[in-house]
Amino acid sequence: MKLSAEGQAWLNATVQRVMARHHVAEAERAGLHYELMSHLHGAGEEKARSAGRDEVSMGDLQAGLLDMGGEEAMAQAFVAPRAKPPKRADIVKRAIAYLIDLVIVFLAWMAVAAIIDITLSVLLLPFGGTFGGFDPFDVFGSPFKGRGFIPAGFGLVFVVILGYFTWTEGKAGASLGKRIFKLKVVRVDGTPIGYREALIRNVTKVFPPLAFLDALFILVFFRAEQQRASDRLAETVVVEE
Amino acid sequence: MAGEDLDRWTQQMRKGSAKLAILQLASERERYGYEIVAEVRDRTKGALQLAEGNIYPALHGLEAEGFIASQWREVEPGVPPRKYYKLTARGRELHERMVEEWKEYAGAVGRLLKGGS
């Protein structure tokens, strides 16, 4: 039996909402998605048939969902039994992932700094500027040192670190270091995080000693949840995929 | 109190018959998930209701054990595909033996309830 375009869109959106209510392992998602789509469509089809129509409408699907007790009940019936409480990530893996991330950001920042430095040097040449101001070991200030362009150039590396973590985790739930260990940041309820959570939980990472203090909360206060203080604030946890 | 006990007992009895119901329907022809739920409900006039959350795990279990085989099939363009289930040779054998057992058991319980003579 045909399905109206409106019904199709509603079906898709509804199934996605139902699935998002629980954390399901990546490998099971596709199968479950198909199953839910097929089942809910079957319920709607029955409604349409008993009403003597030959196309399943959005209303039929909604009536079918209501018979099952609504989205929450459907999630309880279909998704919850397949949901696995995600395993909390090992603290050592998290620490190593963080160090790897810092190295990645450090190297990338050096490359960017070098490019900025050389570009500025070339541009400043006609005005008496010189090459060779780039100091690879002075990551904080090198591109702008002594030029008076941005006296606060020192702070730029903080922005770069925070930007890196916020972008990678907000977009896909994992920084490059986390990917290596198959770690993922999710909300406490298991659903994916967004840029907001990524920003909040990564502020302390710009300054390693601060990140260390933040991580101490895992050992002292939030052992069961394995949350840093800023994880607590962002309502996030790191899990193993 | 008696109501609760009765509920629990009925629930256990239904749970035991769910597997038979699935095998029975799949033995008749290929079936998809929702169809099994609807057919069981209609045929037993609602006396037997497979819980929606149980049907798919039960199907997956039967498939993993090799009693049924499945195939995703495109029904119509724009309509979600359906997974059709049918019995394997092993499933057919299991089904036949379950039906025999069931008849024997139902007969025995019937004789028991009729009382001695």
Side-chain angles (χ1 to χ4, degrees):
Chain A
M1 198 182 291
K2 278 198 180 57
L3 173 63
S4 74
E6 192 190 27
Q8 214 174 330
W10 182 87
L11 182 61
N12 226 321
T14 305
V15 165
Q16 262 166 25
R17 270 201 309 277
V18 169
M19 284 191 59
R21 282 173 185 255
H22 299 278
H23 176 84
V24 179
E26 202 62 37
E28 283 210 58
R29 292 189 73 82
L32 184 59
H33 182 88
Y34 273 132
E35 236 162 56
L36 281 166
M37 295 278 284
S38 171
H39 195 85
L40 192 49
H41 175 260
E45 194 175 65
E46 196 183 6
K47 294 280 170 201
R49 196 181 295 128
S50 62
R53 277 181 273 108
D54 63 355
E55 188 185 69
V56 182
S57 69
M58 186 171 85
D60 295 324
L61 295 170
Q62 286 168 336
L65 179 63
L66 209 63
D67 275 1
M68 282 182 233
E71 283 181 27
E72 178 53 37
M74 197 177 185
Q76 270 303 324
F78 282 83
V79 192
R82 309 270 280 276
K84 285 195 197 83
K87 189 174 173 289
R88 295 281 186 277
D90 179 61
I91 188 170
V92 178
K93 283 187 192 169
R94 287 176 68 177
I96 299 174
Y98 173 53
L99 292 179
I100 293 174
D101 281 322
L102 283 186
V103 171
I104 292 171
V105 178
F106 181 82
L107 292 177
W109 171 236
M110 299 266 279
V112 172
I115 292 167
I116 295 174
D117 191 70
I118 292 167
T119 312
L120 282 179
S121 301
V122 171
L123 289 176
L124 289 175
L125 216 50
F127 310 103
T130 47
F131 276 110
F134 178 61
D135 173 359
F137 295 104
D138 182 4
V139 235
F140 292 133
S142 74
F144 306 105
K145 192 161 71 179
R147 295 221 168 76
F149 267 77
I150 304 177
F154 176 79
L156 219 63
V157 74
F158 295 128
V159 178
V160 173
I161 295 175
L162 185 57
Y164 162 81
F165 279 110
T166 304
W167 177 54
T168 53
E169 291 188 354
K171 193 163 190 270
S175 60
L176 297 173
K178 284 194 180 65
R179 273 182 200 213
I180 293 173
F181 292 104
K182 295 195 158 57
L183 308 182
K184 198 169 184 182
V185 189
V186 292
R187 293 205 180 101
V188 175
D189 64 4
T191 54
I193 66 162
Y195 292 105
R196 199 185 71 88
E197 286 89 352
L199 179 70
I200 296 172
R201 73 181 299 282
N202 283 312
V203 171
T204 60
K205 284 194 194 163
V206 302
F207 192 55
L210 200 59
F212 176 75
L213 283 180
D214 194 5
L216 271 185
F217 278 76
I218 295 177
L219 299 174
V220 183
F221 295 111
F222 309 133
R223 239 195 153 91
E225 306 89 336
Q226 294 280 297
Q227 284 174 308
R228 292 185 290 118
S230 38
D231 272 321
R232 194 70 168 195
L233 212 63
E235 300 184 322
T236 54
V237 286
V238 183
V239 298
E240 307 216 3
E241 288 245 74
Chain B
M1 253 338 193
E4 253 174 56
D5 285 341
L6 182 67
D7 278 353
R8 202 174 313 130
W9 182 71
T10 318
Q11 218 172 15
Q12 277 169 352
M13 212 167 48
R14 284 177 182 170
K15 218 174 185 174
S17 43
K19 199 167 172 179
L20 177 59
I22 292 172
L23 291 174
Q24 171 64 32
L25 291 189
S27 76
E28 297 165 5
R29 59 179 163 87
E30 288 185 311
R31 305 278 191 176
Y32 58 93
Y34 186 82
E35 186 186 12
I36 295 175
V37 175
E39 185 78 19
V40 168
R41 182 199 58 210
D42 291 350
R43 235 191 254 187
T44 63
K45 299 197 164 58
L48 242 181
Q49 291 218 20
L50 297 177
E52 251 128 12
N54 292 343
I55 175 84
Y56 293 99
L59 286 168
H60 296 161
L62 286 168
E63 187 173 18
E65 290 165 285
F67 295 120
I68 54 175
S70 71
Q71 198 182 18
W72 278 104
R73 211 166 292 158
E74 208 59 61
V75 192
E76 242 181 286
V79 169
R82 276 177 187 154
K83 201 179 203 176
Y84 280 88
Y85 294 89
K86 66 174 178 193
L87 290 193
T88 60
R90 272 189 68 190
R92 209 159 284 286
E93 197 184 324
L94 177 68
H95 173 241
E96 278 165 20
R97 292 186 51 187
M98 276 174 88
V99 171
E100 272 171 39
E101 282 291 331
W102 182 271
K103 282 182 180 158
E104 209 171 290
Y105 175 74
V109 173
R111 283 192 296 280
L112 178 72
L113 295 181
K114 234 161 66 183
S117 54

